[in-house]
């Protein structure tokens, strides 16, 4: 069940990224970040109503859990903010591949944060990931400089923040059920990003103008978070995130074709090489 939940995360993650890229040119990155949380809340309300009707859904929130939720909310704001800025500044096929570095980072962080054991053989995947990353990042043939540097920097920052997210999720889900954990971190992140309504002049108009795609993404965000928390109940964080990152292949292929981005073949090759490395890490 943990593997199935992680693969469901991969599918919903791809759907989220495609919607995010579709609206990236029309909204401020901070507005999109706030919307990714606030538009998920109606779906949680429906889920809790259903759980209440069937006799479940009781919340038990300890102080430790609330602290983990706060830390997770802060890291989630950083992660989503970096991702939205990366998607605005660069191609989705580039950004999604670089965001896939989070399992590598998580493999390093896991022993210190969650206490999960990392096998020595998992380190063999690092070489594949590095090689795939070199192939993935586009370079100017005349100057040798990396193109879309802003997108690359934000994607790396997002990758680190997403790795920290998953480690905190692994700890949080040990103190509450998956639905409560997913809902709590989403509410916390929504509260932390709510100042966007006052700081970004166009935020309120953008939330209304793009309400339909935001609502669709909110559905995928809800399904993604609950599935991720369910997977973390039985699997270590780095294994879950590694399996989830099959989404990057879907995103590069579908997103690259949808948005007619260049260098799709080379980026697909780089992404596949990176995923081979991730398989070494998680399997």
């Amino acid at each position: 069940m943990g593997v199935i939940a992680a693969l469901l995360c991969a599918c919903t993650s791809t759907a989220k990224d495609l919607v995010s890229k579709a609206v990236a040119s029309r909204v401020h990155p901070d507005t999109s970040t706030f919307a990714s949380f606030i538009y998920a809340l109606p779906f949680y309300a429906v889920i809790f109503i259903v759980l209440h009707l069937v006799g479940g859904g009781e919340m038990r929130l300890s102080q430790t859990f609330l602290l983990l939720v706060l830390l997770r909310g802060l890291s989630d704001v950083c992660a989503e903010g970096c991702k939205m800025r990366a998607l605005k500044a660069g191609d989705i096929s580039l950004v999604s591949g670089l965001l896939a570095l989070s399992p590598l980072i998580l493999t390093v962080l896991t022993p210190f944060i969650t206490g999960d054991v990392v096998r020595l053989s998992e380190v063999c995947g690092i070489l594949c990931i590095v090689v795939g990353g070199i192939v993935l990042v586009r370079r100017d043939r005349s100057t040798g400089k990396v193109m879309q540097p802003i997108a690359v920097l934000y994607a790396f920052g997002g990758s680190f923040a997403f790795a920290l997210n998953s480690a905190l999720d692994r700890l949080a889900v040990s103190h509450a059920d998956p639905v409560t954990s997913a809902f709590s971190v989403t509410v916390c992140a929504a509260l932390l990003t709510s100042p966007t309504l006052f700081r970004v002049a166009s935020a309120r108009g953008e939330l209304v103008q793009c309400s339909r795609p935001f609502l669709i993404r909110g559905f995928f965000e809800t399904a993604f978070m609950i599935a991720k928390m369910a997977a973390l109940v039985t699997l270590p964080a780095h294994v879950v995130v590694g399996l989830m990152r099959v989404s990057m292949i879907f995103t590069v292929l579908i997103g690259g074709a949808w948005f007619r981005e260049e260098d799709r073949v080379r980026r697909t090759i780089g992404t596949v090489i990176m995923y081979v490395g991730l398989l070494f890490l998680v399997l």
Side-chain angles (χ1 to χ4, degrees):
M1 290 301 295
V3 173
I4 294 174
L7 293 178
L8 176 60
C9 287
C11 296
T12 51
S13 176
T14 297
K16 285 198 309 169
D17 288 347
L18 292 175
V19 177
S20 295
K21 180 59 179 178
V23 300
S25 62
R26 292 185 283 162
V27 301
H28 191 281
D30 289 343
T31 303
S32 186
T33 300
F34 174 65
S36 67
F37 305 121
I38 198 68
Y39 274 90
L41 296 183
F43 297 101
Y44 283 109
V46 173
I47 291 172
F48 277 114
I49 291 173
V50 172
L51 290 176
H52 177 72
L53 292 176
V54 299
E58 181 182 356
M59 286 191 180
R60 296 178 180 177
L61 309 179
S62 65
Q63 290 184 348
T64 301
F65 175 75
L66 293 176
L67 176 59
L68 291 171
V69 166
L70 177 60
L71 293 175
R72 205 281 187 187
L74 291 171
S75 64
D76 205 17
V77 170
C78 295
E80 289 293 336
C82 285
K83 184 174 80 171
M84 299 307 175
R85 284 171 168 77
L87 287 171
K88 189 177 183 67
D91 296 339
I92 190 172
S93 55
L94 172 65
V95 173
S96 61
L98 292 177
L99 287 174
L101 288 172
S102 58
L104 171 61
I105 299 171
L106 189 56
T107 302
V108 177
L109 296 178
T110 285
F112 303 100
I113 298 179
T114 67
D116 291 323
V117 177
V118 178
R119 297 185 300 273
L120 182 60
S121 60
E122 294 171 341
V123 182
C124 296
I126 293 177
L127 181 60
C128 286
I129 293 175
V130 172
V131 172
I134 293 173
V135 174
L136 183 69
V137 178
R138 182 179 178 180
R139 295 178 178 274
D140 188 289
R141 294 181 180 179
S142 60
T143 64
K145 294 182 178 180
V146 177
M147 298 186 69
Q148 302 183 2
I150 301 299
V152 171
L153 290 175
Y154 275 125
F156 275 128
S159 184
F160 180 84
F162 277 121
L164 186 58
N165 277 359
S166 297
L168 293 171
D169 284 340
R170 170 68 167 169
L171 294 175
V173 81
S174 64
H175 294 274
D177 64 272
V179 175
T180 300
S181 299
F183 170 72
S184 299
V185 298
T186 301
V187 170
C188 182
L191 291 174
L192 290 173
T193 54
S194 59
T196 297
L197 292 172
F198 308 99
R199 187 169 50 83
V200 178
S202 60
R204 298 184 184 184
E206 291 170 346
L207 288 172
V208 175
Q209 180 184 5
C210 298
S211 59
R212 184 175 179 179
F214 282 157
L215 198 59
I216 293 173
R217 189 179 61 180
F219 170 78
F220 290 127
E221 172 69 24
T222 304
F224 168 81
M225 281 301 303
I226 294 176
K228 180 182 178 183
M229 292 297 185
L232 287 169
V233 172
T234 57
L235 296 175
H238 63 288
V239 174
V240 171
V241 176
L243 291 172
M244 284 167 45
R245 284 310 176 189
V246 71
S247 65
M248 67 186 179
I249 298 178
F250 301 151
T251 305
V252 168
L253 293 176
I254 300 173
W258 188 354
F259 298 107
R260 299 179 181 179
E261 297 173 349
E262 299 178 357
D263 295 332
R264 291 198 302 272
V265 174
R266 181 176 55 78
R267 288 177 178 173
T268 300
I269 293 173
T271 300
V272 170
I273 293 174
M274 290 178 68
Y275 196 69
V276 170
L278 294 179
L279 290 179
F280 273 106
L281 287 178
V282 302
L283 300 179

